[in-house]
Amino acid sequence: MKSNNIIKEKSYNFSLKIIKVYQELTKEKKEFIISKQLIRSGTSVGANIEEAIGAQSKNDFISKMSISYKEARETLYWLHLLTDSGFLNKQQSDTLITGCEELLKILSSILRTSKS
C-alpha cells in the first residue's frame, strides 16, 4: 500500500498484523472468542480512518477519528488480555501493543488539532 497519509498507512499495516495474529490464535491455539473481538476492533481502526478521510464535514471527520480512537483503546484491552492469559507471546505482544499505542498517540494528536 502506497500512501502519503501516515495514519492511514500505519493503521492498514496494523490491521494486517492483527489478521495474522487472529489466524494463528484460531488455527494453532484454538482461541475463538477473544480473538474475534480483537480482529473486529483491530481492523475497525483503519476502516474508520478511511471513512474519516472521506468525511463530508469537520464534525464527520472528528466523529470517525473518535471512533477509531475508541476502537484502538478496545484493541489495546484485548491485546493485554490475550497476553496476560498466555495466548500471545512477549514478542507478538510487544510489537502489537507498541503499534496500537503509536496509533493512539497519532489519533489523539489529530483529534486535539481538529477540535481546536
Side-chain angles (χ1 to χ4, degrees), residues 47-71:
N48 279 289
I49 288 168
E50 190 67 38
E51 283 190 49
I53 291 168
Q56 296 178 348
S57 67
K58 183 177 180 178
N59 285 341
D60 188 26
F61 176 83
I62 291 169
S63 174
K64 295 300 180 189
M65 283 296 187
S66 295
I67 293 169
S68 287
Y69 181 85
K70 290 193 281 186
E71 293 292 340

Side-chain angles (χ1 to χ4, degrees), residues 20-32:
K20 288 178 184 174
V21 168
Y22 171 79
Q23 290 171 332
E24 180 184 326
L25 286 169
T26 56
K27 289 180 184 174
E28 295 176 21
K29 301 197 176 178
K30 306 298 185 211
E31 198 303 306
F32 301 100

Side-chain angles (χ1 to χ4, degrees), residues 55-96:
Q56 296 178 348
S57 67
K58 183 177 180 178
N59 285 341
D60 188 26
F61 176 83
I62 291 169
S63 174
K64 295 300 180 189
M65 283 296 187
S66 295
I67 293 169
S68 287
Y69 181 85
K70 290 193 281 186
E71 293 292 340
R73 296 282 317 174
E74 180 181 344
T75 301
L76 191 59
Y77 173 82
W78 297 125
L79 288 170
H80 282 294
L81 193 60
L82 285 163
T83 301
D84 293 344
S85 62
F87 283 105
L88 289 179
N89 65 45
K90 181 156 176 51
Q91 182 181 2
Q92 289 172 311
S93 172
D94 287 349
T95 300
L96 290 168

Side-chain angles (χ1 to χ4, degrees), residues 58 62 109-116:
K58 183 177 180 178
I62 291 169
S109 176
I110 288 169
L111 286 165
R112 270 195 314 274
T113 302
S114 298
K115 291 177 181 178
S116 56

